[in-house]
């Protein structure tokens, strides 16, 4: 039986936990000062700072990961928590069932297949193609799927965030060029192709877009978890 | 489960948060068990997500007052976790330092595939949805 003192968190562990939280808070402050610019993503800023410190201090990644296990542990309940906004907006799924089911599955499929295929076409590694495959869905689900199909979860995490930034940055340009003006369509596309990052970008402008983005994030997460292992067979 | 109530009959916020996170953990655990036991192709946490959405929908259908504590404790906990979802994957994301040479070797396919597939997915999903819902009431 472990002694009671083993429940005390060692100082080094607290140090890296504090560094991670501070880097994230700093990233949020930077984004706020740039009036919410999606390119100044707080998670990317935090990853850059912490990675830089780990490299500079010659800290092995394993020991850093062990120090901050608490944050990673909370990823599972946070993923489960995505069920709440999905259920809250389920009325929209009922009302626009055909549009959502067709738009979502087509968008999801196109994004997965073209992502992995383009990596192959341009001569990328197999592991990179498999990490690219689930990148459109919300990061925690994307990482779990990447793990399952033989990709690299850490790479997928970065791709998911940068992909979300690309979606947020190009959203208005692309959708207005295609004359897509309905907020339901804008929201669903943002949630399906750019998950949380793109959703946060459209949410302040329209409550409808925010609701449909929540539906897109939740349903695409489930859909990708089901279909990615099947599509991954093509890229083995 | 009994939740301590204040004068207005609502559970205390801090307690609600703890109960809420515990419920999320239980659903996650149940998802993991089902995933392993019946080899469901979804990751355990995603099975938990589906179970939670289903349970909330059922709780909404049956007597609202009886199941109030359930929805009312899950909602604030999920809000807190989702508002700071980004923080939770910083440690996992930092593993890119171990992938530095993969990134160096593959940056052209990565950038091309990421930009093209994201914008394609966005355009296809938005266009189809727009065709179906335009002219339809919200």
């Amino acid at each position: 039986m472990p002694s009671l003192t083993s429940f005390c968190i060692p100082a080094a562990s607290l140090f890296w936990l504090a560094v991670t939280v501070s880097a994230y808070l700093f990233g949020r402050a930077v984004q706020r000062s740039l009036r919410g610019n999606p390119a100044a993503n707080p998670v990317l800023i935090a990853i850059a700072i912490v990675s830089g410190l780990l490299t500079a201090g010659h800290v092995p990644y394993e020991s850093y990961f062990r120090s901050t296990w608490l944050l990673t542990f909370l990823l599972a309940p946070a993923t489960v928590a995505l069920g709440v906004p999905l259920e809250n907006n389920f009325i929209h799924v009922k009302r626009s069932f055909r549009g959502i089911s067709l738009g979502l599955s087509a968008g999801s499929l196109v994004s997965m297949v073209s992502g992995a295929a383009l990596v192959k076409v341009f001569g990328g590694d197999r592991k990179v193609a498999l990490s690219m495959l689930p990148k459109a869905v919300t990061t925690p689900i994307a990482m779990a799927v990447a793990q399952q199909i033989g990709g690299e979860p850490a790479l997928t995490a970065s791709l998911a965030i940068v992909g979300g930034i690309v979606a947020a940055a190009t959203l208005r340009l692309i959708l207005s060029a295609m004359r897509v003006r309905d907020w339901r369509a804008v929201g669903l596309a943002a949630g399906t192709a750019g998950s949380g990052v793109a959703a946060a970008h459209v949410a302040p402008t329209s409550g409808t877009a925010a609701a449909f983005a929540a539906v897109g994030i939740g349903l695409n997460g489930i859909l990708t978890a089901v279909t990615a292992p099947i599509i991954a067979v093509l890229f083995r | 489960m009994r939740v301590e109530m204040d004068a207005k009959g609502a559970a205390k916020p801090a307690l609600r948060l703890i109960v809420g996170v515990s419920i999320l953990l239980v659903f996650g655990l149940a998802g993991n068990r089902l995933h392993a036991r019946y080899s469901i192709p979804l990751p355990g946490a995603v099975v938990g997500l589906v179970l939670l959405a289903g349970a909330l929908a059922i709780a909404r259908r049956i007597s609202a007052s009886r199941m109030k504590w359930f929805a009312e404790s899950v909602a604030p906990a999920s809000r807190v976790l989702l508002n700071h979802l980004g923080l939770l994957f910083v440690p996992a994301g930092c593993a890119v330092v171990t992938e530095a040479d993969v990134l160096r070797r593959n940056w052209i396919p990565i950038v091309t595939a990421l930009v093209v597939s994201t914008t394609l997915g966005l355009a296809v999903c938005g266009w189809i949805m727009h065709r179906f819902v335009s002219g339809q009431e919200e």
Side-chain angles (χ1 to χ4, degrees):
Chain A
M1 197 188 141
S3 70
L4 269 180
T5 49
S6 71
F7 288 108
C8 296
I9 302 168
S13 189
L14 272 183
F15 172 74
W16 283 109
L17 198 59
V19 166
T20 307
V21 175
S22 315
Y24 172 74
L25 291 176
F26 173 74
R28 277 174 73 98
V30 169
Q31 188 173 46
R32 215 173 304 127
S33 73
L34 292 172
R35 273 177 278 122
N37 191 325
N41 183 277
V43 182
L44 273 193
I45 293 171
I47 290 178
I49 292 173
V50 175
S51 302
L53 289 174
L54 292 176
T55 317
H58 300 289
V59 179
Y61 175 73
E62 290 295 312
S63 77
Y64 165 74
F65 189 74
R66 241 178 295 132
S67 308
T68 50
W69 68 271
L70 182 66
L71 297 177
T72 312
F73 170 77
L74 285 173
L75 264 182
T79 308
V80 175
L82 285 164
V84 176
L86 179 61
E87 197 272 338
N88 280 341
N89 294 300
F90 213 72
I91 181 82
H92 298 305
V93 180
K94 262 194 207 157
R95 277 200 200 135
S96 330
F97 184 75
R98 277 170 66 194
I100 289 178
S101 54
L102 282 174
L104 187 106
S105 34
S108 174
L109 193 72
V110 164
S111 160
M112 277 192 283
V113 173
S114 66
L118 281 168
V119 170
K120 283 267 173 155
V121 168
F122 282 85
D125 298 353
R126 196 183 60 118
K127 189 171 80 173
V128 176
L130 291 172
S131 307
M132 181 69 73
L133 199 101
K135 60 95 189 42
V137 297
T138 185
T139 312
I141 298 182
M143 289 169 72
V145 172
Q147 179 95 58
Q148 207 169 4
I149 63 177
E152 172 56 48
L155 194 56
T156 300
S158 313
L159 295 176
I161 300 164
V162 179
I165 295 171
V166 170
T170 57
L171 193 108
R172 254 151 238 230
L173 192 73
I174 291 176
L175 293 180
S176 64
M178 300 183 71
R179 300 186 190 287
V180 174
R181 286 192 207 89
D182 195 293
W183 281 117
R184 290 168 285 184
V186 173
L188 187 75
T192 304
S195 70
V197 181
H201 186 61
V202 295
T205 31
S206 154
T208 309
F212 279 81
V215 168
I217 294 173
L219 290 184
N220 196 22
I222 300 169
L223 183 69
T224 299
V226 176
T227 54
I230 303 164
I231 297 170
V233 175
L234 299 173
F235 300 98
R236 286 265 157 75
Chain B
M1 194 184 306
R2 258 194 81 229
V3 179
E4 211 177 313
M5 303 288 170
D6 66 12
K8 284 178 190 153
K12 289 173 186 162
L15 198 63
R16 247 194 317 193
L17 204 59
I18 295 170
V19 173
V21 172
S22 311
I23 293 174
L24 294 175
L25 283 169
V26 168
F27 273 88
L29 198 69
N32 271 336
R33 283 286 165 85
L34 286 173
H35 163 81
R37 180 84 174 70
Y38 298 103
S39 45
I40 297 172
L42 293 165
V46 182
V47 179
L49 184 168
V50 176
L51 290 177
L52 180 69
L56 283 170
I58 292 168
R60 199 191 287 266
R61 284 260 172 127
I62 61 174
S63 140
S65 55
R66 270 281 180 87
M67 298 302 292
K68 223 173 163 188
W69 65 270
F70 176 61
E72 282 188 356
S73 48
V74 167
S78 81
R79 212 174 306 122
V80 168
L81 286 174
L82 293 179
N83 277 347
H84 298 285
L85 183 60
L87 171 64
L88 305 182
F89 46 79
V90 171
C94 283
V96 284
V97 291
T98 61
E99 302 289 319
D101 60 308
V102 176
L103 283 175
R104 253 195 300 278
R105 261 186 293 121
N106 291 278
W107 72 271
I108 295 176
I110 287 178
V111 172
T112 318
L114 192 61
V115 173
V116 175
S117 69
T118 300
T119 48
L120 265 182
L122 195 67
V124 168
C125 178
W127 187 72
I128 294 179
M129 181 66 178
H130 182 81
R131 283 206 52 177
F132 275 94
V133 296
S134 61
Q136 205 183 90
E137 247 179 85
E138 254 176 44

